[in-house]
Amino acid sequence: MSRSRTPLYALLAANTLSFIAEAISIVAIPWFVLGLTGSASQVGLIGFFTVLPRVIATFLGGQVVDRIGFQTSSILSDLLSGLSVCGIPILYALGHLTFSWLVMLVIFGAVFDGPGATAREAMVPELASGGEMDLDRVNAFFQGSRRLSIFIGPAIAGFLIVWVGAANVLWVNAAVFALSALITVTLIPAVAVPKEIGEAGSFRNNMMFGFRFLKQHRLLAWLAGILCLMNFLDGPIATVMLPVLVQEHYGSAEQLGLLLSSFGFGSVAGTILFSAMSTRFPRRMTFIGGLAVLAVLNLLVELPLRCR
């Protein structure tokens, strides 16, 4: 392995581990809440407070990353996310884990996931250049690592819950975050923030610039709105509906992990298919066709459940 490419491979490894940790929590935390409370509504609240901080971090996290640095942001994100996960089994073992504490810990962890991912993405161009690798190829590997983590993370979580219990899986989750941070500390050098970014204006001015940019580009504004709506409708499936459904009908976290891993497998397959066929069809037709197929498949999944 070329020494100049070591930081790039380390970044890919840290990114994959961090996303695997997030994927494990998608299974472990809802299943833990279901076992603790037996309430689907409280699982829904946990899912809500998992997503809301990430939405807020979307607007503010990038600016925080620019100000404290890419490497520091990535390390702090992993460590603080891992610390929040550790808090759940610790308070549970001590008998002090109330639902309010659980919500606070979930919010605390979710706030840092987005900025950490942003910081790692921001380091890609410079490390790719230093490793003399094509940026498009590196970006493909980088995005593929996220889809791969969605494929393997839930399955790992499901099998571990059956083996050691949901509370102990949260310790594994925290350890994966810590390993990602360790790789970043030891193998990834500091990447300087570009001068023009480091001298950015206030938070408010930067946010207004982003909104003005969307307003000037109607296509991007429509795409952003459609994606927000899709995430709004799709989010409860993994965080609430599937955990409750699997517990009621199968009672096995292993089944939940495999079911969520199937989403990851489909995502990986879709990425490969798109990369091979993206130039053969118009982008507009591909986008609309993909949404139509997704709607039909969701309907086919729902019909058998309504007939039970």
Side-chain angles (χ1 to χ4, degrees), residues 24 26 31 37 41 44 47 55 95 134 155 157 161 185 220 222 231 270 304:
I24 290 175
I26 291 175
W31 197 262
T37 67
S41 62
V55 174
D134 181 72
I161 289 173
V185 170
L220 290 179
W222 275 103
N231 288 327

Side-chain angles (χ1 to χ4, degrees), residues 55 58-59 221-235:
V55 174
T58 299
F59 292 99
W222 275 103
L223 287 175
I226 291 172
L227 292 175
C228 284
L229 179 62
M230 289 176 59
N231 288 327
F232 174 78
L233 297 173
D234 186 59

Side-chain angles (χ1 to χ4, degrees), residues 10 31 95 121 158 173 188 207 226 282 299:
W31 197 262
E121 288 182 6
N173 193 4
I188 302 175
M207 287 182 61
I226 291 172
L299 182 61

